[in-house]
Amino acid sequence: MLIDSYGRPVTSMRISITTSCNLRCVYCHREGVSSAARELTPEEIARVVEAAVDLGIAKFKITGGEPLVRSDIVDVVEAISSQRGVKEVSMTTNGTLLAEYAQDLARAGLRRVNVSLDSLDPETYKLITRSTYPLQKVVEGIDAAIEHGLSPLKVNFVVMAGLNYEEIPHMLEFARSRGAVLQLIELEPVGVSRDFFEKHFVPLDEVEKALAQRAEKIVTRALHRRRVYYLRNGGVVELVRPFHNTEFCMNCRRIRLTPDGRLKPCLMREDNCVDLYPALSEGSLSSVKKAIVEAVKRRRPFYQLRRSEVG
Ligand code: SAM
């Protein structure tokens, strides 16, 4: 198993396959990828996955940009899921094209999806996504994904003061009614201006207190020490609270792959990537593995170091 110099095991890979997206969400961090020189082919992605599996990484999440704008998305999923030793392939998507793809994705080996939906109000949805895509398309995508067994489905909701904070109860009911998990995410200061962050960031302490009162069970996941609240009414809510959270960083188990074949040790930094494209072009599995090992060596717990630097 891969273990970094802070004792953190690395068990999953977040694969960004494109920087293109059909929405322009006001808060989007684009997975910390400012630009990409190319998009890896399904075969190249499969090679990275093969090497990663050999090193003990078993779970893969496809992200972007918007993964479903790639016309070969079904091939990408199949290329990953068909590698020996892969335990789970999941995807995070904005859901706008999911109704069309859900069945083919499930057949190709996708196990589950996170669907980003930050509002159920058409006007707020338009404002957040800066698009005219009908919100109803996303709801249809969620229903199609559930119908085709892509579950447990998670609804990703980035909580923002002044934009959607008041909608949390409505969203909780929406997710509960579909047997989906509501994932409440704190806004991260990546890809947004300082002004935007200061205006819209809201810590989830109050939300956690309210959830704790309504919960019959609270489970702490190994990944990021995320808490999952199982509510008495059947709702399930997971909290993602990275901001200045040293515990979050110390329990991060991910490495990231950019669309152009760089390994990215941390969402928050783009200055310490390892370019594995040369190893991929060379075609040598051992060189790809070496690059992964090097990227793991470069992992630093971002907020842990920030805190110790401040004192
Ligand atoms: N287009 C896909 C989607 O919408 O899920 C995949 C890419 S998107 C960058 C992946 C996830 O990151 C989404 O759930 C999105 O809400 C979340 N996200 C993006 N920017 C964020 C930010 N600044 N803070 C917290 N979460 C963010």
Side-chain angles (χ1 to χ4, degrees):
M1 184 192 269
L2 286 165
I3 299 195
D4 72 13
S5 29
Y6 293 79
R8 300 176 298 175
V10 177
T11 54
S12 68
M13 183 178 277
R14 200 166 165 102
I15 304 179
S16 175
I17 60 167
T18 182
T19 52
S20 301
C21 189
N22 52 353
L23 303 182
R24 291 194 309 121
C25 297
V26 280
Y27 60 81
C28 190
H29 57 35
R30 299 158 57 103
E31 303 290 347
V33 179
S34 47
S35 65
R38 65 183 80 77
E39 284 178 356
L40 296 186
T41 64
E43 295 72 25
E44 288 166 339
I45 294 171
R47 200 86 177 127
V48 180
V49 169
E50 186 185 357
V53 168
D54 272 359
L55 293 165
I57 294 174
K59 291 182 169 187
F60 297 86
K61 170 151 276 158
I62 302 168
T63 181
E66 171 50 38
L68 297 183
V69 302
R70 257 185 81 154
S71 56
D72 58 355
I73 183 59
V74 176
D75 298 335
V76 171
V77 171
E78 191 151 18
I80 302 172
S81 70
S82 60
Q83 294 304 311
R84 206 153 31 99
V86 169
K87 286 212 182 100
E88 184 182 277
V89 187
S90 62
M91 177 187 290
T92 170
T93 168
N94 63 32
T96 53
L97 304 170
L98 191 54
E100 288 159 44
Y101 277 109
Q103 185 169 22
D104 289 344
L105 293 171
R107 280 196 186 137
L110 193 73
R111 176 90 74 78
R112 57 181 190 83
V113 280
N114 290 40
V115 180
S116 303
L117 181 58
D118 301 299
S119 179
L120 289 169
D121 172 70
E123 283 311 307
T124 311
Y125 181 77
K126 208 188 262 182
L127 195 75
I128 293 177
T129 60
R130 292 188 287 189
S131 84
T132 51
Y133 255 101
L135 163 63
Q136 187 52 29
K137 277 274 175 206
V138 183
V139 176
E140 286 167 17
I142 289 173
D143 291 339
I146 292 170
E147 186 190 327
H148 292 291
L150 298 173
S151 61
L153 184 140
K154 293 187 185 179
V155 177
N156 281 11
F157 183 93
V158 178
V159 182
M160 291 172 283
L163 283 173
N164 61 5
Y165 183 80
E166 310 296 334
E167 277 195 60
I168 295 175
H170 190 189
M171 202 46 124
L172 182 48
E173 190 42 37
F174 172 84
R176 192 194 66 83
S177 70
R178 286 165 165 80
V181 175
L182 176 62
Q183 185 152 262
L184 298 177
I185 307 174
E186 273 181 359
L187 181 65
E188 294 210 63
V190 183
V192 292
S193 69
R194 202 191 172 109
D195 278 359
F196 182 93
F197 184 76
E198 280 170 6
K199 189 167 168 199
H200 297 294
F201 173 75
V202 46
L204 296 178
D205 303 66
E206 292 305 318
V207 173
E208 283 221 69
K209 273 188 216 154
L211 290 172
Q213 279 173 5
R214 296 172 53 192
E216 60 182 14
K217 187 171 74 166
I218 304 171
V219 171
T220 303
R221 289 185 61 196
L223 175 70
H224 301 145
R225 288 276 186 274
R226 296 179 184 187
R227 275 191 281 277
V228 185
Y229 293 82
Y230 292 87
L231 306 184
R232 283 189 288 278
N233 71 357
V236 183
V237 187
E238 179 165 340
L239 268 79
V240 184
R241 306 195 57 187
F243 189 57
H244 277 292
N245 186 347
T246 54
E247 206 182 36
F248 185 95
C249 288
M250 284 313 289
N251 292 283
C252 176
R253 297 165 157 246
R254 289 177 172 159
I255 189 97
R256 294 164 172 273
L257 180 65
T258 69
D260 52 357
R262 283 169 294 141
L263 287 160
K264 198 172 175 319
C266 175
L267 167 71
M268 308 298 285
R269 295 176 58 175
E270 213 177 355
D271 63 342
N272 63 348
C273 296
V274 175
D275 189 2
L276 64 59
Y277 195 67
L280 268 181
S281 332
E282 204 183 281
S284 138
L285 195 64
S286 71
S287 305
V288 177
K289 280 195 213 170
K290 262 190 214 154
I292 296 175
V293 170
E294 174 57 28
V296 168
K297 248 191 223 160
R298 295 188 191 183
R299 273 166 50 87
R300 302 278 177 272
F302 186 80
Y303 284 119
Q304 185 78 16
L305 294 179
R306 273 289 170 84
R307 181 165 287 188
S308 54
E309 275 161 18
V310 175

